[in-house]
Amino acid sequence: MLEKEYKCLLTFDEYDRVKNHFEWDSAKEQTNNYYTDDNGVFSKNRIMFRVREKDNRAVIQVKSRKNSDSALQICEETEFPIDSVPQIIENPEKYTGVKSGAARRIGAAVTLRRSKMWDDNTEICLDMTTYFDKHDYEIEIEYTAEDIPAELKAELNRIGIVFSEPSKGKYSRFLDEYHAK
């Protein structure tokens, strides 16, 4: 599945403003267990490999970034059901298509995600994520149409949210903090 989304990191004040501006359809917690390979193959191929726990189920998720240097992120994403969260996945090649050696779990990030369907093609996701005793805040606009609705862009602009800068994804932010430890 091709995923298109605009992302923007937020300050706590911006997060709070967005949280109070919309009526949310749901608020759920999800845990992303992140994996890496010892040879750096995932990184070289711009692959994010994780096991997401949500709604009492776990899935392996693989995202391959298709563009860079933009607030718009386009990724190829695949999912595979799994029974539990392993510390090591011996053959990640069957999920990624890339020879890497074993994937080992390096930690987890817990996200409280508020979501709202703006229209049939557009979902607003507001995230507060915790990892390594750090909190960060992000808004994502996921859509399947050609672009996000102009009315939504205008409404976000009115409350001070603009998607103009490239934004690091959760995995990249997690890795930065992981390597800093």
Side-chain angles (χ1 to χ4, degrees), residues 44-111:
K44 289 175 194 159
N45 287 281
R46 299 171 53 148
I47 293 172
M48 185 280 309
F49 191 92
R50 69 182 173 206
V51 174
R52 176 173 279 172
E53 298 172 276
K54 181 175 144 185
D55 298 330
N56 295 316
R57 66 182 195 105
V59 293
I60 290 175
Q61 292 183 321
V62 179
K63 283 188 176 186
S64 176
R65 185 97 184 257
K66 300 299 181 192
N67 70 331
S68 61
D69 298 328
S70 172
L72 171 64
Q73 292 189 10
I74 300 173
C75 296
E76 185 68 37
E77 182 177 339
T78 54
E79 288 188 350
F80 308 89
I82 192 169
D83 292 329
S84 62
V85 179
Q87 290 300 311
I88 295 177
I89 298 174
E90 292 295 340
N91 187 12
E93 179 181 353
K94 70 181 181 179
Y95 306 109
T96 64
V98 177
K99 289 188 187 227
S100 63
R104 68 183 161 76
R105 183 180 176 277
I106 57 173
V110 178
T111 299

Side-chain angles (χ1 to χ4, degrees), residues 6 21-22 118-119 121-124 141-143 145-159 161-163:
Y6 279 95
H21 183 76
F22 294 104
W118 176 265
D119 61 25
N121 300 308
T122 312
E123 181 179 21
I124 305 168
I141 309 298
E142 299 180 6
Y143 63 97
E146 285 299 310
D147 200 358
I148 65 174
E151 304 83 24
L152 176 56
K153 281 184 185 177
E155 186 165 341
L156 289 168
N157 286 342
R158 278 194 296 280
I159 61 171
I161 308 302
V162 179
F163 297 92

Side-chain angles (χ1 to χ4, degrees), residues 123-137:
E123 181 179 21
I124 305 168
C125 299
L126 182 67
D127 295 342
M128 177 178 66
T129 302
T130 304
Y131 50 98
F132 303 117
D133 298 323
K134 178 183 176 106
H135 300 284
D136 68 28
Y137 310 93

